[in-house]
Amino acid sequence: MYGCSNLMYCISEHAPHSSLQEIMKWNGWGYSDTKFLFNKKGQAEFTGKRYKLSGMIIPALKEWMEGTFGTNMQHKSLATPALTRTAVQPPTLNEAFVEELKSTGVPFSHDAEDRVFRAHGHCLHEIFALREGKVGRVPDLVVWPNCHNDVVKIVELACKHNVCLIPYGGGTSVSSALECPQEETRSIVSVDTSQMNRILWIDEKNLTAHMEAGIVGQDLERLLNESGYCTGHEPDSMEFSSLGGWVATRASGMKKNIYGNIEDLVIHVKMVTPQGVVEKSCQGPRMSTGPDIHHFIMGSEGTLGVVTEVTMKIRPMPEYQKYGSVVFPNFEQGVACLREVARQRCAPASIRLMDNEQFKFGHALKPQVSSMFTSFLEGLKKFYITKFKGFDPDCLCVATLLFEGNREKVLQHEKQVYDIAAKFGGLAAGEDNGQRGYMLTFVIAYLRDLGMDYYVIGESFETSVPWDRVLDICRNVKARIIRECKDKGVQFQPFSTCRVTQTYDAGACVYFYFAFNYRGLSDPVHMFEEVEHAAREEILANGGSLSHHHGVGKLRKAWMRETVSDVGMGMLKSVKDYVDPNNIFGNGNLL
Amino acid sequence: MASSNAYAQRDPMLKKRDDFEDILEERRNSSDLRYALKCYTPALYKGVAPCKSSMLKSMVLQSDQLHYVIQQVSKETGRQTDNVQEEVSAILDEMAHSLQLSTVRFFAFTLSKIFKSLFKSIRVNEEGIQRLQQAIQDHPVVLLPSHRSYMDFLLMSYLLYTYDLTLPVIAAGMDFMGMKFVGEMFRMSGAFFIRRSFGGNKLYWAVFSEYVKTMLKNGFAPVEFFLEGTRSRTSKSLIPKLGLLNIVMDPFLKGEVFDVHVVPVSISYERILEETLYARELLGIPKPKESTSGLFKARKVLSEDYGSIHVYFGQPVSVRSLAEGRVNRCQFNLVPRHIPGRPDEDIHSFVNDSAYKLVRAQEDNMVLKPWVLLASLLLQKQAVGQEQGTALDELTAQAVWLRDLSRQYGAFLHWPDQMTPSEVVSSSLSLHRGLVRTCEGKVQLALEHEGGAVGPQSAAALEEKLLSQAVIVLSCASYRNQALHVFLRPALLASAIHAASSNQKQEVFNSFSFLRNMFSNEFILCPGATVQDFEEACYLLVKTGTLQVTQKEVLVNERGHRTLAFLVSMLDPFLQGYQVVCRFLCEEATETLTEKQFIPAIRKFIIKHLLAGRLRYAEVLSSDLQKNSLAAFLRLGAVEKIKGPIELLIVFHT
């Protein structure tokens, strides 16, 4: 037991059973049963059964890690195995609030694990601290509303008793958005929307569906698929992230080229604010009624209220899907090809271009091949590309593709894209490579935990940028990261790489990955943050945006004013001041 | 004004400089032909393949920048785009270099021969070469040599060839093109040609800047140009020109490259080839147009001894580091980068400050020879009218004193310590025997003999005599000027103390600030660094025991008077010069004076005063000083230029 009275503990309800919390890591990414490790033979292995790669041996990973980061299997930096409850501060409870909350029947808890689980997203510093067993300010209470009306009650009580509310969806934030502000003295209540996970109706005439906002991406797709539909919204975090979170951060999905980003998909939103419920009166597909109030809600990052219900567009499930990949002699050609694809507006459901380092990284993640034949084929392919076609293995890069639609159109579309690629020296490199690329998207997040076991820390971050600056920003940001690390005394050159993940008419979304071996550094997290800060400065100086879809949170707040101008800040602030004058939604994001 | 303690870290004495190697030594011991035909495989920027000049031209022609400007010009003038395009091609053909290894090898051979006959040694800091080699592989590189001689750019390419570094492309003035054959030879050794003035010619500017940027961005070759814009005739560094620096910084500022490294290079000649040529030019004896035949006539210089050359490749300066915290690069986010625009005020001031920093870096690494100190001393003596000269041992003692002083001020002095001071002095004097004369153990400048009839001479003869004396004085002054940057700040302080009505620190500072401001067209004084310069000067003079500086006062030590007197005399010719220009403007320029008439008129005025003995310094005849002072008076608002059919200079009597 910790410093809280027995009585208090008794009155708290237990967390609902279906919570993801039970099957997820408390201090790392994803499911508890799934992780990378080095087995007794010293080979990398991916555990569990959930993914295609699960249970497989990844022979090249060890060498890649040693070569890329200078890691050593003997030097480990393992995480604290379990949360020490004494490390968690006892909750500051607003007793009157708790008392009234109890009468509403909404389940709640102030168990340390429940609170810690909802006190963080997945920024490097957050996970690093957890692995060291360090816990900062965490919510004092977690509530699990079951429906819109529960939320209304909770918000009313919070206003009445001046309690700070922090909405919580899937917990996949990478912007420090879930961190409790240090200076917050009120009781902080985490509003976990995970129990609001139903599809309320499907309207096949208008192709819309109405959901509760706590529904998690993979459940939403699965349930809609059962009725033959999909939303097509597939952010990389879709296994864990929630619909409400997508709305609150202006999320983007991998297949936005067909289905659109969240702002294109949302037809209607209901949000509970301290001033009451905000929503539109109809479901017209487009309106000219002044500034769109949805755009106050989308991207509000939990500062204005809780999104409770959303009506979204749905589409019939695609009849046919086909993966693909193209190898380019270099990144410049690859970008030129993506630009041309965007110009001709013929982007497939997804098209992503990895740079050379990432290509090699992807290579290191190839599972052991079972048959001699596949291995032979691989060898032949490699020979063809590097020797026959003369691609430099240290320059070439690869684009992965995903086509969707009816079979005939997909094949036609595929041909069109490959024809364009050929103009830029691209060679079709097979479906397998493409599919593996997308599978890795989900698996890659687990890899950071492995790295952290061996003194490697890393992060990804994104931006959007006009086409003419894509190459420049990629080169400069990567170089800046390398230089900053060098200046700060990192011994081994960092892994600094990028990919173009989305194309638009006027630009693209670029993802950067950066990681380094921190052995011998006294304050690696601080150093890491400085490098990340410098990288963001570089992005902005090269015409990139502050964020394409991760949001601002607290991590990037410092740049908000220069991003939206003083007047823009004033506009946002005045909305906040009207909607939430007492800062009930006090997570401190954005502004 | 911070305490001088803060300055201790920047003590010029602590400046670490590299050692030199003589590259001519090997040339004297092995075959020049084999050297010219050696295997030349420079390491390239990020391994890019070198670019053929035809490919470079087509890259420039196809650039978005040029495309945009061509459209714009066509719209404004109503000309067909094809027609404008043709003009662009023609400009490009006129401009572009066409580097050919065979020509480079030819130069390598002939220059080896010439250098060996002209110079004792050509010394290069090899550590600088190594730094440069690294820089060339990592970043686009800009070479910024000082410019004292036509030799400079040939020498630069020769050195890079010797060290197997990528040969630079060099921005050269169009005047070379006058020499048909030589011009083409230069072109084939990497020079590209720019018109001297093309203000307002949008198309020309676009082609020119795009040409330079294309080379730089792709890292095909280091770009070389002279920050000072032209050869300094006075051996003082010239106020930097910003045009090209703007162009080479632009790709970084707009994010087109991660960084650009600029490498200041200091080339110091023990004896300048053009020495008396410059003096004549400054005195208004017109400069011969560059011509091939003229160049061959200059062959007689081949038979003389020009001592040694020191070339110091400075620390590469990262433009990124210079811009850190100075420039907000986001300002380029909202307009497509290929649309040309005037640089904003903050960019302009950033480039300007950088240019000054770079010129100062050049100055810092200039190697000074003992002769420079001797010239300073002899000029001062001549000015106070020591007709019979200075005893050799006295001069030697003074030179040793000045050697120690200049070292304390951070001068990069190349004083051969293995020789006795008197050997050093006499060998310097003998190398410069055209300028100095030793007679019966007495040394003085080699001015015209007083001999001949002492009777009345015609005015024309007197004037001629004066001018020929001035040639010697100006030649000497050009050596003294090499050391000016070492003494400048202390000398400004010394003159300020001299001029101030009290020893109140504030008073001295005000007077320092006034002098510094007035001379900022004359010397390299970084804009906005008055306080810093004042502190540096105080620090140096306190350190050397000349002054005591308290919170409120500046006091001269007993033993400091000698130093102070020397420093004041160092600036005195300039001060007198500015005064005489001022007097001229007040007395003679009452009617309307055009800018064109200014130089001849003031020359006449000064000659009159010199002949009448009202003026001590013949070097005031230098047109450089006259132009600089006029520019200063214009800047300070004492004179106004009125644009019209003829430009008039109006003097305000204040």
Side-chain angles (χ1 to χ4, degrees), chain A residues 466 468-470 472-473 475-477 479-481 483-484 537-544 562, chain B residues 45-46 252-259 318 320-321 324 328-330 332-337:
Chain A
D468 71 316
R469 292 172 186 264
V470 170
D472 291 332
I473 208 170
R475 178 190 55 243
N476 292 350
V477 172
R480 177 77 182 262
I481 289 170
R483 205 186 93 162
E484 292 286 332
E537 292 275 347
E538 192 63 33
I539 286 175
L540 300 176
N542 282 276
E562 64 182 273
Chain B
Y45 168 68
K46 301 215 168 124
F252 162 72
L253 294 172
K254 291 188 176 160
E256 293 168 314
V257 293
F258 179 71
D259 201 354
S318 149
R320 176 174 277 271
S321 311
E324 186 88 56
N328 179 6
R329 288 183 283 147
C330 294
F332 301 106
N333 287 351
L334 296 178
V335 179
R337 291 173 294 175

Side-chain angles (χ1 to χ4, degrees), chain B residues 81-376:
Chain B
T81 51
D82 289 354
N83 183 288
V84 184
Q85 180 98 34
E86 268 166 39
E87 189 186 334
V88 166
S89 286
I91 294 174
L92 204 49
D93 285 335
E94 176 194 271
M95 182 183 304
H97 79 87
S98 55
L99 186 70
Q100 278 180 357
L101 201 54
S102 55
T103 315
V104 173
R105 291 189 191 285
F106 166 79
F107 271 112
F109 181 77
T110 39
L111 286 176
S112 292
K113 299 286 181 210
I114 293 172
F115 286 161
K116 278 189 287 187
S117 80
L118 286 178
F119 304 108
K120 283 202 203 90
S121 62
I122 298 178
R123 298 177 175 274
V124 180
N125 66 327
E126 295 198 336
E127 284 166 70
I129 293 283
Q130 281 157 21
R131 289 191 295 257
L132 175 62
Q133 185 172 27
Q134 191 58 49
I136 286 177
Q137 288 172 56
D138 295 343
H139 301 286
V141 164
V142 177
L143 290 167
L144 299 176
S146 57
H147 204 9
R148 302 288 175 270
S149 169
Y150 274 142
M151 210 59 134
D152 293 327
F153 87 86
L154 289 173
L155 179 61
M156 283 291 290
S157 297
Y158 183 82
L159 291 178
L160 297 202
Y161 174 80
T162 303
Y163 287 103
D164 217 21
L165 295 173
T166 319
L167 288 168
V169 286
I170 308 125
M174 210 54 177
D175 27 8
F176 273 116
M177 287 291 286
M179 304 185 265
K180 272 193 195 103
F181 174 68
V182 175
E184 282 314 305
M185 287 293 280
F186 286 171
R187 193 194 286 280
M188 286 188 282
S189 61
F192 67 95
F193 296 96
I194 353 167
R195 294 179 194 161
R196 275 282 171 211
S197 60
F198 47 89
N201 188 339
K202 209 187 318 188
L203 206 56
Y204 191 85
W205 176 261
V207 177
F208 165 52
S209 68
E210 193 50 29
Y211 182 71
V212 174
K213 283 185 211 171
T214 306
M215 277 185 300
L216 194 71
K217 278 192 293 199
N218 294 288
F220 293 140
V223 172
E224 176 181 315
F225 64 91
F226 299 104
L227 253 185
E228 299 163 286
T230 180
R231 291 170 299 153
S232 167
R233 271 69 167 169
T234 57
S235 285
K236 273 188 297 136
S237 294
L238 303 179
I239 303 302
K241 301 276 186 295
L242 303 185
L244 261 160
L245 194 60
N246 245 317
I247 290 174
V248 298
M249 286 186 159
D250 192 68
F252 162 72
L253 294 172
K254 291 188 176 160
E256 293 168 314
V257 293
F258 179 71
D259 201 354
V260 171
H261 277 195
V262 284
V263 183
V265 182
S266 315
I267 307 176
S268 336
Y269 295 90
E270 188 166 12
R271 230 188 114 191
I272 299 165
L273 292 167
E274 292 99 328
E275 159 188 292
T276 48
L277 228 64
Y278 286 158
R280 281 169 205 283
E281 198 185 318
L282 290 171
L283 292 167
I285 305 161
K287 163 189 170 190
K289 203 166 181 269
E290 274 89 356
S291 69
T292 308
S293 60
L295 199 79
F296 281 111
K297 273 181 206 145
R299 263 185 331 177
K300 91 170 170 62
V301 298
L302 285 182
S303 54
E304 290 199 36
D305 179 3
Y306 287 87
S308 55
I309 304 176
H310 282 82
V311 184
Y312 195 97
F313 287 84
Q315 194 72 40
V317 178
S318 149
V319 175
R320 176 174 277 271
S321 311
L322 285 175
E324 186 88 56
R326 272 290 313 253
V327 178
N328 179 6
R329 288 183 283 147
C330 294
Q331 63 185 286
F332 301 106
N333 287 351
L334 296 178
V335 179
R337 291 173 294 175
H338 65 266
I339 296 179
R342 281 211 150 274
D344 278 1
E345 192 43 51
D346 69 320
I347 298 290
H348 177 84
S349 89
F350 163 69
V351 175
N352 192 40
D353 289 357
S354 304
Y356 272 85
K357 266 186 211 161
L358 291 164
V359 174
R360 283 210 57 191
Q362 285 176 356
E363 288 186 334
D364 260 359
N365 292 324
M366 282 286 195
V367 173
L368 306 183
K369 291 291 162 51
W371 165 245
V372 167
L373 305 180
L374 296 172
S376 311

Side-chain angles (χ1 to χ4, degrees), chain B residues 25-91:
Chain B
E25 202 177 305
E26 204 193 319
R27 293 281 43 77
R28 294 192 208 277
N29 298 324
S30 65
S31 153
D32 286 336
L33 193 63
R34 196 175 306 145
Y35 161 77
L37 295 174
K38 71 169 185 166
C39 171
Y40 169 72
T41 48
L44 299 162
Y45 168 68
K46 301 215 168 124
V48 293
C51 170
K52 282 224 175 73
S53 61
S54 59
M55 189 174 119
L56 181 64
K57 278 185 204 170
S58 77
M59 284 173 80
V60 174
L61 284 175
Q62 282 157 19
S63 66
D64 294 339
Q65 282 78 347
L66 270 186
H67 189 74
Y68 178 86
V69 175
I70 289 170
Q71 293 296 329
Q72 210 186 18
V73 168
S74 152
K75 234 178 255 167
E76 281 166 13
T77 59
R79 289 161 60 191
Q80 296 283 318
T81 51
D82 289 354
N83 183 288
V84 184
Q85 180 98 34
E86 268 166 39
E87 189 186 334
V88 166
S89 286
I91 294 174

